[in-house]
mmCIF file with all atom_site columns, all heavy atoms in Angstrom:
data_model
loop_
_atom_site.group_PDB
_atom_site.id
_atom_site.type_symbol
_atom_site.label_atom_id
_atom_site.label_alt_id
_atom_site.label_comp_id
_atom_site.label_asym_id
_atom_site.label_entity_id
_atom_site.label_seq_id
_atom_site.pdbx_PDB_ins_code
_atom_site.Cartn_x
_atom_site.Cartn_y
_atom_site.Cartn_z
_atom_site.occupancy
_atom_site.B_iso_or_equiv
_atom_site.pdbx_formal_charge
_atom_site.auth_seq_id
_atom_site.auth_comp_id
_atom_site.auth_asym_id
_atom_site.auth_atom_id
_atom_site.pdbx_PDB_model_num
ATOM 1   N N   . GLU A 1 52  ? 38.080 85.807  -25.102 1.00 97.00 ? 52  GLU A N   1
ATOM 2   C CA  . GLU A 1 52  ? 38.235 86.402  -23.784 1.00 97.00 ? 52  GLU A CA  1
ATOM 3   C C   . GLU A 1 52  ? 39.665 86.915  -23.631 1.00 97.00 ? 52  GLU A C   1
ATOM 4   O O   . GLU A 1 52  ? 40.626 86.205  -23.943 1.00 97.00 ? 52  GLU A O   1
ATOM 5   C CB  . GLU A 1 52  ? 37.937 85.371  -22.690 1.00 97.00 ? 52  GLU A CB  1
ATOM 6   C CG  . GLU A 1 52  ? 36.517 84.820  -22.726 1.00 97.00 ? 52  GLU A CG  1
ATOM 7   C CD  . GLU A 1 52  ? 36.303 83.705  -21.727 1.00 97.00 ? 52  GLU A CD  1
ATOM 8   O OE1 . GLU A 1 52  ? 37.236 82.892  -21.525 1.00 97.00 ? 52  GLU A OE1 1
ATOM 9   O OE2 . GLU A 1 52  ? 35.207 83.637  -21.151 1.00 97.00 ? 52  GLU A OE2 1
ATOM 10  N N   . PHE A 1 53  ? 39.800 88.146  -23.153 1.00 97.00 ? 53  PHE A N   1
ATOM 11  C CA  . PHE A 1 53  ? 41.127 88.707  -22.915 1.00 97.00 ? 53  PHE A CA  1
ATOM 12  C C   . PHE A 1 53  ? 41.014 89.879  -21.952 1.00 97.00 ? 53  PHE A C   1
ATOM 13  O O   . PHE A 1 53  ? 39.909 90.280  -21.564 1.00 97.00 ? 53  PHE A O   1
ATOM 14  C CB  . PHE A 1 53  ? 41.780 89.171  -24.232 1.00 97.00 ? 53  PHE A CB  1
ATOM 15  C CG  . PHE A 1 53  ? 40.991 90.204  -24.985 1.00 97.00 ? 53  PHE A CG  1
ATOM 16  C CD1 . PHE A 1 53  ? 41.211 91.562  -24.779 1.00 97.00 ? 53  PHE A CD1 1
ATOM 17  C CD2 . PHE A 1 53  ? 40.028 89.827  -25.921 1.00 97.00 ? 53  PHE A CD2 1
ATOM 18  C CE1 . PHE A 1 53  ? 40.487 92.520  -25.473 1.00 97.00 ? 53  PHE A CE1 1
ATOM 19  C CE2 . PHE A 1 53  ? 39.307 90.781  -26.619 1.00 97.00 ? 53  PHE A CE2 1
ATOM 20  C CZ  . PHE A 1 53  ? 39.539 92.134  -26.399 1.00 97.00 ? 53  PHE A CZ  1
ATOM 21  N N   . GLN A 1 54  ? 42.147 90.408  -21.568 1.00 97.00 ? 54  GLN A N   1
ATOM 22  C CA  . GLN A 1 54  ? 42.177 91.566  -20.669 1.00 97.00 ? 54  GLN A CA  1
ATOM 23  C C   . GLN A 1 54  ? 42.925 92.719  -21.329 1.00 97.00 ? 54  GLN A C   1
ATOM 24  O O   . GLN A 1 54  ? 43.983 92.520  -21.916 1.00 97.00 ? 54  GLN A O   1
ATOM 25  C CB  . GLN A 1 54  ? 42.868 91.208  -19.344 1.00 97.00 ? 54  GLN A CB  1
ATOM 26  C CG  . GLN A 1 54  ? 42.088 90.262  -18.469 1.00 97.00 ? 54  GLN A CG  1
ATOM 27  C CD  . GLN A 1 54  ? 42.836 89.916  -17.185 1.00 97.00 ? 54  GLN A CD  1
ATOM 28  O OE1 . GLN A 1 54  ? 44.013 90.221  -17.036 1.00 97.00 ? 54  GLN A OE1 1
ATOM 29  N NE2 . GLN A 1 54  ? 42.139 89.274  -16.250 1.00 97.00 ? 54  GLN A NE2 1
ATOM 30  N N   . LEU A 1 55  ? 42.342 93.908  -21.224 1.00 96.00 ? 55  LEU A N   1
ATOM 31  C CA  . LEU A 1 55  ? 43.087 95.125  -21.538 1.00 96.00 ? 55  LEU A CA  1
ATOM 32  C C   . LEU A 1 55  ? 44.003 95.369  -20.346 1.00 96.00 ? 55  LEU A C   1
ATOM 33  O O   . LEU A 1 55  ? 43.572 95.256  -19.188 1.00 96.00 ? 55  LEU A O   1
ATOM 34  C CB  . LEU A 1 55  ? 42.140 96.306  -21.732 1.00 96.00 ? 55  LEU A CB  1
ATOM 35  C CG  . LEU A 1 55  ? 41.161 96.202  -22.906 1.00 96.00 ? 55  LEU A CG  1
ATOM 36  C CD1 . LEU A 1 55  ? 40.226 97.410  -22.926 1.00 96.00 ? 55  LEU A CD1 1
ATOM 37  C CD2 . LEU A 1 55  ? 41.903 96.089  -24.237 1.00 96.00 ? 55  LEU A CD2 1
ATOM 38  N N   . ILE A 1 71  ? 43.321 102.689 -19.781 1.00 96.00 ? 71  ILE A N   1
ATOM 39  C CA  . ILE A 1 71  ? 42.415 101.568 -20.038 1.00 96.00 ? 71  ILE A CA  1
ATOM 40  C C   . ILE A 1 71  ? 41.198 102.047 -20.825 1.00 96.00 ? 71  ILE A C   1
ATOM 41  O O   . ILE A 1 71  ? 40.739 101.395 -21.770 1.00 96.00 ? 71  ILE A O   1
ATOM 42  C CB  . ILE A 1 71  ? 41.976 100.904 -18.712 1.00 96.00 ? 71  ILE A CB  1
ATOM 43  C CG1 . ILE A 1 71  ? 43.113 100.088 -18.124 1.00 96.00 ? 71  ILE A CG1 1
ATOM 44  C CG2 . ILE A 1 71  ? 40.756 100.008 -18.933 1.00 96.00 ? 71  ILE A CG2 1
ATOM 45  C CD1 . ILE A 1 71  ? 43.474 98.833  -18.904 1.00 96.00 ? 71  ILE A CD1 1
ATOM 46  N N   . LEU A 1 75  ? 39.976 100.817 -24.526 1.00 95.00 ? 75  LEU A N   1
ATOM 47  C CA  . LEU A 1 75  ? 38.650 100.283 -24.833 1.00 95.00 ? 75  LEU A CA  1
ATOM 48  C C   . LEU A 1 75  ? 38.038 101.009 -26.028 1.00 95.00 ? 75  LEU A C   1
ATOM 49  O O   . LEU A 1 75  ? 37.475 100.368 -26.930 1.00 95.00 ? 75  LEU A O   1
ATOM 50  C CB  . LEU A 1 75  ? 37.740 100.405 -23.617 1.00 95.00 ? 75  LEU A CB  1
ATOM 51  C CG  . LEU A 1 75  ? 36.319 99.864  -23.763 1.00 95.00 ? 75  LEU A CG  1
ATOM 52  C CD1 . LEU A 1 75  ? 36.339 98.396  -24.144 1.00 95.00 ? 75  LEU A CD1 1
ATOM 53  C CD2 . LEU A 1 75  ? 35.526 100.075 -22.478 1.00 95.00 ? 75  LEU A CD2 1
ATOM 54  N N   . LYS A 1 79  ? 37.103 99.225  -29.701 1.00 93.00 ? 79  LYS A N   1
ATOM 55  C CA  . LYS A 1 79  ? 35.795 99.278  -30.358 1.00 93.00 ? 79  LYS A CA  1
ATOM 56  C C   . LYS A 1 79  ? 35.914 99.897  -31.745 1.00 93.00 ? 79  LYS A C   1
ATOM 57  O O   . LYS A 1 79  ? 35.290 99.419  -32.708 1.00 93.00 ? 79  LYS A O   1
ATOM 58  C CB  . LYS A 1 79  ? 34.811 100.076 -29.499 1.00 93.00 ? 79  LYS A CB  1
ATOM 59  C CG  . LYS A 1 79  ? 34.421 99.388  -28.198 1.00 93.00 ? 79  LYS A CG  1
ATOM 60  C CD  . LYS A 1 79  ? 33.467 100.256 -27.379 1.00 93.00 ? 79  LYS A CD  1
ATOM 61  C CE  . LYS A 1 79  ? 33.017 99.565  -26.100 1.00 93.00 ? 79  LYS A CE  1
ATOM 62  N NZ  . LYS A 1 79  ? 32.110 100.405 -25.285 1.00 93.00 ? 79  LYS A NZ  1
ATOM 63  N N   . ASP A 1 91  ? 28.119 90.203  -29.563 1.00 90.00 ? 91  ASP A N   1
ATOM 64  C CA  . ASP A 1 91  ? 28.088 90.676  -28.172 1.00 90.00 ? 91  ASP A CA  1
ATOM 65  C C   . ASP A 1 91  ? 29.501 91.077  -27.757 1.00 90.00 ? 91  ASP A C   1
ATOM 66  O O   . ASP A 1 91  ? 30.475 90.370  -28.040 1.00 90.00 ? 91  ASP A O   1
ATOM 67  C CB  . ASP A 1 91  ? 27.570 89.580  -27.241 1.00 90.00 ? 91  ASP A CB  1
ATOM 68  C CG  . ASP A 1 91  ? 27.434 90.084  -25.810 1.00 90.00 ? 91  ASP A CG  1
ATOM 69  O OD1 . ASP A 1 91  ? 26.827 91.145  -25.624 1.00 90.00 ? 91  ASP A OD1 1
ATOM 70  O OD2 . ASP A 1 91  ? 27.937 89.414  -24.899 1.00 90.00 ? 91  ASP A OD2 1
ATOM 71  N N   . LEU A 1 92  ? 29.604 92.237  -27.109 1.00 93.00 ? 92  LEU A N   1
ATOM 72  C CA  . LEU A 1 92  ? 30.875 92.688  -26.544 1.00 93.00 ? 92  LEU A CA  1
ATOM 73  C C   . LEU A 1 92  ? 30.612 93.027  -25.084 1.00 93.00 ? 92  LEU A C   1
ATOM 74  O O   . LEU A 1 92  ? 29.922 93.988  -24.773 1.00 93.00 ? 92  LEU A O   1
ATOM 75  C CB  . LEU A 1 92  ? 31.413 93.909  -27.297 1.00 93.00 ? 92  LEU A CB  1
ATOM 76  C CG  . LEU A 1 92  ? 32.875 94.299  -26.996 1.00 93.00 ? 92  LEU A CG  1
ATOM 77  C CD1 . LEU A 1 92  ? 33.466 95.072  -28.170 1.00 93.00 ? 92  LEU A CD1 1
ATOM 78  C CD2 . LEU A 1 92  ? 32.984 95.145  -25.735 1.00 93.00 ? 92  LEU A CD2 1
ATOM 79  N N   . ASN A 1 93  ? 31.129 92.179  -24.205 1.00 96.00 ? 93  ASN A N   1
ATOM 80  C CA  . ASN A 1 93  ? 30.889 92.334  -22.777 1.00 96.00 ? 93  ASN A CA  1
ATOM 81  C C   . ASN A 1 93  ? 32.109 92.946  -22.105 1.00 96.00 ? 93  ASN A C   1
ATOM 82  O O   . ASN A 1 93  ? 33.228 92.436  -22.238 1.00 96.00 ? 93  ASN A O   1
ATOM 83  C CB  . ASN A 1 93  ? 30.569 90.973  -22.146 1.00 96.00 ? 93  ASN A CB  1
ATOM 84  C CG  . ASN A 1 93  ? 30.245 91.084  -20.678 1.00 96.00 ? 93  ASN A CG  1
ATOM 85  O OD1 . ASN A 1 93  ? 31.127 90.955  -19.831 1.00 96.00 ? 93  ASN A OD1 1
ATOM 86  N ND2 . ASN A 1 93  ? 28.983 91.305  -20.360 1.00 96.00 ? 93  ASN A ND2 1
ATOM 87  N N   . VAL A 1 94  ? 31.892 94.043  -21.388 1.00 96.00 ? 94  VAL A N   1
ATOM 88  C CA  . VAL A 1 94  ? 32.975 94.761  -20.710 1.00 96.00 ? 94  VAL A CA  1
ATOM 89  C C   . VAL A 1 94  ? 32.752 94.690  -19.200 1.00 96.00 ? 94  VAL A C   1
ATOM 90  O O   . VAL A 1 94  ? 31.719 95.141  -18.700 1.00 96.00 ? 94  VAL A O   1
ATOM 91  C CB  . VAL A 1 94  ? 33.031 96.233  -21.170 1.00 96.00 ? 94  VAL A CB  1
ATOM 92  C CG1 . VAL A 1 94  ? 34.164 96.966  -20.447 1.00 96.00 ? 94  VAL A CG1 1
ATOM 93  C CG2 . VAL A 1 94  ? 33.200 96.325  -22.674 1.00 96.00 ? 94  VAL A CG2 1
ATOM 94  N N   . GLN A 1 95  ? 33.722 94.132  -18.498 1.00 96.00 ? 95  GLN A N   1
ATOM 95  C CA  . GLN A 1 95  ? 33.642 94.019  -17.042 1.00 96.00 ? 95  GLN A CA  1
ATOM 96  C C   . GLN A 1 95  ? 34.271 95.244  -16.374 1.00 96.00 ? 95  GLN A C   1
ATOM 97  O O   . GLN A 1 95  ? 35.028 95.992  -17.001 1.00 96.00 ? 95  GLN A O   1
ATOM 98  C CB  . GLN A 1 95  ? 34.361 92.748  -16.579 1.00 96.00 ? 95  GLN A CB  1
ATOM 99  C CG  . GLN A 1 95  ? 33.682 91.463  -17.018 1.00 96.00 ? 95  GLN A CG  1
ATOM 100 C CD  . GLN A 1 95  ? 32.309 91.293  -16.392 1.00 96.00 ? 95  GLN A CD  1
ATOM 101 O OE1 . GLN A 1 95  ? 32.149 91.409  -15.181 1.00 96.00 ? 95  GLN A OE1 1
ATOM 102 N NE2 . GLN A 1 95  ? 31.299 91.032  -17.220 1.00 96.00 ? 95  GLN A NE2 1
ATOM 103 N N   . PRO A 1 96  ? 33.969 95.485  -15.107 1.00 96.00 ? 96  PRO A N   1
ATOM 104 C CA  . PRO A 1 96  ? 34.560 96.630  -14.398 1.00 96.00 ? 96  PRO A CA  1
ATOM 105 C C   . PRO A 1 96  ? 36.088 96.550  -14.371 1.00 96.00 ? 96  PRO A C   1
ATOM 106 O O   . PRO A 1 96  ? 36.673 95.470  -14.417 1.00 96.00 ? 96  PRO A O   1
ATOM 107 C CB  . PRO A 1 96  ? 33.979 96.509  -12.987 1.00 96.00 ? 96  PRO A CB  1
ATOM 108 C CG  . PRO A 1 96  ? 32.720 95.732  -13.163 1.00 96.00 ? 96  PRO A CG  1
ATOM 109 C CD  . PRO A 1 96  ? 32.985 94.767  -14.266 1.00 96.00 ? 96  PRO A CD  1
ATOM 110 N N   . VAL A 1 97  ? 36.704 97.715  -14.264 1.00 96.00 ? 97  VAL A N   1
ATOM 111 C CA  . VAL A 1 97  ? 38.166 97.794  -14.193 1.00 96.00 ? 97  VAL A CA  1
ATOM 112 C C   . VAL A 1 97  ? 38.642 97.274  -12.834 1.00 96.00 ? 97  VAL A C   1
ATOM 113 O O   . VAL A 1 97  ? 38.020 97.528  -11.796 1.00 96.00 ? 97  VAL A O   1
ATOM 114 C CB  . VAL A 1 97  ? 38.644 99.248  -14.397 1.00 96.00 ? 97  VAL A CB  1
ATOM 115 C CG1 . VAL A 1 97  ? 40.155 99.348  -14.198 1.00 96.00 ? 97  VAL A CG1 1
ATOM 116 C CG2 . VAL A 1 97  ? 38.243 99.755  -15.769 1.00 96.00 ? 97  VAL A CG2 1
ATOM 117 N N   . ASN A 1 98  ? 39.740 96.532  -12.866 1.00 96.00 ? 98  ASN A N   1
ATOM 118 C CA  . ASN A 1 98  ? 40.353 96.028  -11.636 1.00 96.00 ? 98  ASN A CA  1
ATOM 119 C C   . ASN A 1 98  ? 41.813 96.457  -11.575 1.00 96.00 ? 98  ASN A C   1
ATOM 120 O O   . ASN A 1 98  ? 42.400 96.842  -12.602 1.00 96.00 ? 98  ASN A O   1
ATOM 121 C CB  . ASN A 1 98  ? 40.272 94.503  -11.580 1.00 96.00 ? 98  ASN A CB  1
ATOM 122 C CG  . ASN A 1 98  ? 38.870 94.015  -11.276 1.00 96.00 ? 98  ASN A CG  1
ATOM 123 O OD1 . ASN A 1 98  ? 38.433 94.045  -10.132 1.00 96.00 ? 98  ASN A OD1 1
ATOM 124 N ND2 . ASN A 1 98  ? 38.150 93.587  -12.307 1.00 96.00 ? 98  ASN A ND2 1
ATOM 125 N N   . PHE A 1 114 ? 43.659 96.489  -15.152 1.00 96.00 ? 114 PHE A N   1
ATOM 126 C CA  . PHE A 1 114 ? 43.192 95.579  -16.210 1.00 96.00 ? 114 PHE A CA  1
ATOM 127 C C   . PHE A 1 114 ? 41.667 95.532  -16.245 1.00 96.00 ? 114 PHE A C   1
ATOM 128 O O   . PHE A 1 114 ? 40.990 95.819  -15.260 1.00 96.00 ? 114 PHE A O   1
ATOM 129 C CB  . PHE A 1 114 ? 43.775 94.177  -16.029 1.00 96.00 ? 114 PHE A CB  1
ATOM 130 C CG  . PHE A 1 114 ? 43.485 93.547  -14.696 1.00 96.00 ? 114 PHE A CG  1
ATOM 131 C CD1 . PHE A 1 114 ? 42.432 92.663  -14.538 1.00 96.00 ? 114 PHE A CD1 1
ATOM 132 C CD2 . PHE A 1 114 ? 44.278 93.834  -13.590 1.00 96.00 ? 114 PHE A CD2 1
ATOM 133 C CE1 . PHE A 1 114 ? 42.168 92.072  -13.320 1.00 96.00 ? 114 PHE A CE1 1
ATOM 134 C CE2 . PHE A 1 114 ? 44.028 93.242  -12.355 1.00 96.00 ? 114 PHE A CE2 1
ATOM 135 C CZ  . PHE A 1 114 ? 42.971 92.365  -12.223 1.00 96.00 ? 114 PHE A CZ  1
ATOM 136 N N   . GLN A 1 115 ? 41.149 95.148  -17.401 1.00 97.00 ? 115 GLN A N   1
ATOM 137 C CA  . GLN A 1 115 ? 39.706 95.073  -17.619 1.00 97.00 ? 115 GLN A CA  1
ATOM 138 C C   . GLN A 1 115 ? 39.396 93.860  -18.488 1.00 97.00 ? 115 GLN A C   1
ATOM 139 O O   . GLN A 1 115 ? 39.972 93.694  -19.570 1.00 97.00 ? 115 GLN A O   1
ATOM 140 C CB  . GLN A 1 115 ? 39.207 96.356  -18.302 1.00 97.00 ? 115 GLN A CB  1
ATOM 141 C CG  . GLN A 1 115 ? 37.697 96.471  -18.406 1.00 97.00 ? 115 GLN A CG  1
ATOM 142 C CD  . GLN A 1 115 ? 37.269 97.870  -18.822 1.00 97.00 ? 115 GLN A CD  1
ATOM 143 O OE1 . GLN A 1 115 ? 37.933 98.520  -19.631 1.00 97.00 ? 115 GLN A OE1 1
ATOM 144 N NE2 . GLN A 1 115 ? 36.177 98.351  -18.268 1.00 97.00 ? 115 GLN A NE2 1
ATOM 145 N N   . GLN A 1 116 ? 38.482 93.022  -18.021 1.00 97.00 ? 116 GLN A N   1
ATOM 146 C CA  . GLN A 1 116 ? 38.120 91.795  -18.736 1.00 97.00 ? 116 GLN A CA  1
ATOM 147 C C   . GLN A 1 116 ? 37.149 92.111  -19.867 1.00 97.00 ? 116 GLN A C   1
ATOM 148 O O   . GLN A 1 116 ? 36.121 92.761  -19.663 1.00 97.00 ? 116 GLN A O   1
ATOM 149 C CB  . GLN A 1 116 ? 37.489 90.780  -17.782 1.00 97.00 ? 116 GLN A CB  1
ATOM 150 C CG  . GLN A 1 116 ? 37.165 89.439  -18.408 1.00 97.00 ? 116 GLN A CG  1
ATOM 151 C CD  . GLN A 1 116 ? 38.403 88.635  -18.742 1.00 97.00 ? 116 GLN A CD  1
ATOM 152 O OE1 . GLN A 1 116 ? 39.408 88.713  -18.023 1.00 97.00 ? 116 GLN A OE1 1
ATOM 153 N NE2 . GLN A 1 116 ? 38.352 87.879  -19.822 1.00 97.00 ? 116 GLN A NE2 1
ATOM 154 N N   . ILE A 1 117 ? 37.480 91.618  -21.069 1.00 97.00 ? 117 ILE A N   1
ATOM 155 C CA  . ILE A 1 117 ? 36.647 91.822  -22.252 1.00 97.00 ? 117 ILE A CA  1
ATOM 156 C C   . ILE A 1 117 ? 36.262 90.471  -22.842 1.00 97.00 ? 117 ILE A C   1
ATOM 157 O O   . ILE A 1 117 ? 37.100 89.564  -22.931 1.00 97.00 ? 117 ILE A O   1
ATOM 158 C CB  . ILE A 1 117 ? 37.395 92.638  -23.339 1.00 97.00 ? 117 ILE A CB  1
ATOM 159 C CG1 . ILE A 1 117 ? 37.932 93.947  -22.761 1.00 97.00 ? 117 ILE A CG1 1
ATOM 160 C CG2 . ILE A 1 117 ? 36.477 92.903  -24.537 1.00 97.00 ? 117 ILE A CG2 1
ATOM 161 C CD1 . ILE A 1 117 ? 36.872 94.930  -22.323 1.00 97.00 ? 117 ILE A CD1 1
ATOM 162 N N   . THR A 1 118 ? 35.012 90.325  -23.235 1.00 97.00 ? 118 THR A N   1
ATOM 163 C CA  . THR A 1 118 ? 34.553 89.106  -23.908 1.00 97.00 ? 118 THR A CA  1
ATOM 164 C C   . THR A 1 118 ? 33.832 89.496  -25.194 1.00 97.00 ? 118 THR A C   1
ATOM 165 O O   . THR A 1 118 ? 32.926 90.332  -25.171 1.00 97.00 ? 118 THR A O   1
ATOM 166 C CB  . THR A 1 118 ? 33.600 88.288  -23.018 1.00 97.00 ? 118 THR A CB  1
ATOM 167 O OG1 . THR A 1 118 ? 34.272 87.954  -21.801 1.00 97.00 ? 118 THR A OG1 1
ATOM 168 C CG2 . THR A 1 118 ? 33.172 87.006  -23.720 1.00 97.00 ? 118 THR A CG2 1
ATOM 169 N N   . ILE A 1 119 ? 34.241 88.879  -26.293 1.00 96.00 ? 119 ILE A N   1
ATOM 170 C CA  . ILE A 1 119 ? 33.638 89.152  -27.593 1.00 96.00 ? 119 ILE A CA  1
ATOM 171 C C   . ILE A 1 119 ? 33.070 87.855  -28.164 1.00 96.00 ? 119 ILE A C   1
ATOM 172 O O   . ILE A 1 119 ? 33.751 86.824  -28.189 1.00 96.00 ? 119 ILE A O   1
ATOM 173 C CB  . ILE A 1 119 ? 34.678 89.735  -28.577 1.00 96.00 ? 119 ILE A CB  1
ATOM 174 C CG1 . ILE A 1 119 ? 35.106 91.136  -28.121 1.00 96.00 ? 119 ILE A CG1 1
ATOM 175 C CG2 . ILE A 1 119 ? 34.121 89.787  -29.998 1.00 96.00 ? 119 ILE A CG2 1
ATOM 176 C CD1 . ILE A 1 119 ? 36.207 91.745  -28.970 1.00 96.00 ? 119 ILE A CD1 1
#
Side-chain angles (χ1 to χ4, degrees):
E52 299 174 323
F53 58 92
Q54 290 179 349
L55 297 177
I71 286 291
L75 181 58
K79 291 179 178 179
D91 184 50
L92 192 155
N93 183 268
V94 180
Q95 293 295 309
V97 175
N98 286 282
F114 57 97
Q115 188 168 37
Q116 184 70 34
I117 306 294
T118 302
I119 292 176

